[in-house]
Amino acid sequence: MPPINKTRTRTAAPDNSLTRLRIALTVFFALDGFVFAGWVVRIPAIKEQTGASASALGLALLGVSAGAVITMMLTGRLCRRYGTHRVTVVCAVLLSLSVALPPLTHSAPALGAVLLVFGAAYGSINVAFNSAAVDLVGALRRPIMPSFHAAFSLGGMLGAGLGGLVAGALSPTRHLLGLTVIGLLVTAVAGRTLLRIQPPAPAPDTTEQEAAPHPSGSPAPASSRDRTHTHTRTRGLVITFGLIALCTAYGEGALADWSALHLEHDLDATAGVAAVGYSCFALAMTIGRLTGTRLLERLGQTRTLVGGGTTAALGMLLGALAPSVWAALLGFMITGLGLANLFPVAVERAGRLAGPDGVAVASTLGYGGMLLGPPAIGFMADWFSLPAALTSVAALAATAAVIAAVTRRAAAA
């Protein structure tokens, strides 16, 4: 009896610790989406405050993506040195403080400068908590990564909804300062839990690699050439998953910036109905991520990537080429369901292969896709038409499916 009781005590504590860790990380994902959405809904008011033209505002807004891309690789190194939990908490503080800066500016250059800081904090926390989530996924041996990204989406929907409610009553300065207070309070509570828990070691996986037995019966030591080959192969796979993230983020950025315009100008929708377009896409993506763990457990990662990319491609063809508003809205929802789990799975696979550096590479490529999408759609719309330009989202979603299918064996090894 005593040994049994001791065994139960030893196994219950780690499980409780992992549960608390999962809750804390979920809170940080939701906080990230909440803060970012709160900033986004005040862009029109800050544009008016700064007196920026559309083109000047566009250049200033690039500061968010530029700051994120610049700091992501550095964050991967910081995570290796100081730990993902510490870096997550520090970045959450910086994100909460920096969101209050944009309404304090009165010119486009100043706005771009503070958005560079905001983007750096935003990109850094994404690398940090995704890396921490990868460690937790490995320890639990369950594909729960989509649930964290669902929390981000839900936080974003809550932040946008709250921002819409207070926009008429609060100035951007008071609203975003309120987000700073909320962010710091949430970080103080969830961060205390996060800092008390050591990052878990991944559970042993006997199926990953089996070294060829040595004549004596022990595994043969890897040669320098073998190690170099393995490193090169790992790097190539990380970049491959980063390309899948790029294809996904390209679609997200394109739909965020161009879906309403497509519905209003090409399909004669009213402004109110046109605004529903991206909401349908975001809601479908949230639903897809909430059910992502069950989908991954049933289909596996490769089938989920291939099926998701194919579904998104078909949905976007419908959304871009449909002759009616309602068919286009249906297409946007199908696209959201298809794209929902591609980015989480790609980042998780890159992190399992190369740790925080892998997360940083995949995230950097993903943000590159989000940065590339909107202007690329704009140029193609000028050359051809907006519906034709939006079919590029379908093309890249199909490309993601093909990449996942072609690299299936290499990724499994």
Side-chain angles (χ1 to χ4, degrees), residues 117-210:
V117 177
F118 178 68
Y122 179 70
S124 296
I125 194 173
N126 272 267
V127 171
F129 61 38
N130 271 296
S131 298
V134 168
D135 292 337
L136 181 57
V137 169
L140 292 175
R141 296 181 62 81
R142 286 194 66 212
I144 61 169
M145 197 70 170
S147 68
F148 293 119
H149 289 259
F152 172 85
S153 299
L154 289 172
M157 294 174 67
L158 180 61
L162 178 64
L165 289 175
V166 304
L170 296 180
S171 66
T173 302
R174 291 184 177 180
H175 175 203
L176 297 186
L177 184 59
L179 294 186
T180 294
V181 174
I182 292 172
L184 292 176
L185 290 174
V186 171
T187 301
V189 175
R192 181 177 301 179
T193 300
L194 198 61
L195 292 175
R196 287 178 176 175
I197 302 174
Q198 289 294 323
D205 189 352
T206 58
T207 63
E208 285 186 1
Q209 288 184 349
E210 294 181 2

Side-chain angles (χ1 to χ4, degrees), residues 85-99:
H85 294 182
R86 289 182 181 179
V87 177
T88 296
V89 173
V90 171
C91 290
V93 172
L94 294 177
L95 180 71
S96 300
L97 292 174
S98 61
V99 75

Side-chain angles (χ1 to χ4, degrees), residues 277-329:
Y278 183 71
S279 299
C280 289
F281 170 78
L283 178 61
M285 180 167 280
T286 303
I287 293 172
R289 286 175 171 174
L290 287 172
T291 58
T293 296
R294 184 174 299 178
L295 186 69
L296 285 165
E297 288 177 335
R298 176 168 294 186
L299 299 180
Q301 291 180 331
T302 299
R303 288 183 180 177
T304 299
L305 290 173
V306 174
T310 303
T311 300
L314 295 175
M316 198 59 224
L317 286 176
L318 175 62
L321 304 178
S324 68
V325 171
W326 303 113
L329 291 175

Side-chain angles (χ1 to χ4, degrees), residues 13 29 130 163 205 327 379 401 404 407:
F29 272 85
N130 271 296
D205 189 352
F379 283 120
T407 59

Side-chain angles (χ1 to χ4, degrees), residues 203-290:
D205 189 352
T206 58
T207 63
E208 285 186 1
Q209 288 184 349
E210 294 181 2
H214 199 261
S216 64
S218 59
S223 65
S224 176
R225 179 181 297 178
D226 290 338
R227 288 195 297 268
T228 302
H229 174 72
T230 300
H231 176 75
T232 303
R233 179 172 169 275
T234 299
R235 185 75 176 177
L237 282 172
V238 167
I239 293 174
T240 297
F241 288 118
L243 291 176
I244 293 176
L246 184 152
C247 293
T248 306
Y250 177 96
E252 291 187 48
L255 281 166
D257 286 9
W258 293 102
S259 58
L261 192 64
H262 169 58
L263 292 172
E264 190 169 348
H265 287 193
D266 298 320
L267 299 177
D268 298 322
T270 63
V273 173
V276 173
Y278 183 71
S279 299
C280 289
F281 170 78
L283 178 61
M285 180 167 280
T286 303
I287 293 172
R289 286 175 171 174
L290 287 172

